[in-house]
Amino acid sequence: MYMQGRGFRPAVLAVAVVVSLIGLSSGCASGDHDDAGSASSTASDGGTQKPSASSGASARPAQASPSSTPSASPSPEDTRPLKDGTAVLVSCASPQDPRATVKVINPNTRDGSFAVKIGFLDAQGVKMVESGGSVFVAAKETTTYRVRVTTAGVVDHIARCAVEPRAAWVGY
């Protein structure tokens, strides 16, 4: 019986080696790793495998590693701040229409938000109220922005409006 046990052990070992080699040559049952331990290919590359020499008992096609898959990284243009826009007064507030109208122009190839400042002045040129806000403008577009005078009694004394011509970029 002692001899029978010794003769059985090499046979089991031989079967285990054959099964493992078959598993390696078939690309593993789950297909989630290769001999080098790299991750499986992603759905973005269609799951295709690229042939390469692998270290080990058999040569088989290796799957693309994440480092070889190109990733979408922002270009330097996408990370730079936008240029400031331009604000142009269209109409000033009056008792008939207590809102000033300003056109805001985005000179950039990307959308952005711009700060608009409007001063409401009396006949002597004294700023009575200042108002404004952040205005979203699509790339290479112009947007109309209306600002209401909310302070009671001020609209009757407004002689003119002063708009800051530089609409500072404030974000996306």
Side-chain angles (χ1 to χ4, degrees), residues 80-106:
R80 289 185 300 199
L82 297 178
K83 296 176 189 172
D84 290 337
T86 304
V88 178
L89 180 68
V90 175
S91 64
C92 191
S94 68
Q96 294 78 25
D97 184 7
R99 295 174 292 183
T101 304
V102 178
K103 283 187 180 179
V104 184
I105 304 162
N106 179 356

Side-chain angles (χ1 to χ4, degrees), residues 70-87:
S71 62
S73 61
S75 67
E77 183 178 303
D78 291 340
T79 58
R80 289 185 300 199
L82 297 178
K83 296 176 189 172
D84 290 337
T86 304

Side-chain angles (χ1 to χ4, degrees), residues 21-43:
L21 289 175
I22 291 171
L24 287 175
S25 66
S26 66
C28 298
S30 64
D32 62 351
H33 60 84
D34 62 14
D35 292 333
S38 64
S40 66
S41 61
T42 61

Side-chain angles (χ1 to χ4, degrees), residues 126-150:
V126 176
K127 190 182 298 181
M128 299 183 301
V129 177
E130 185 172 84
S131 188
S134 178
V135 181
F136 178 81
V137 185
K140 298 285 186 182
E141 294 290 327
T142 299
T143 298
T144 301
Y145 177 62
R146 298 203 61 173
V147 180
R148 183 176 191 89
V149 178
T150 58

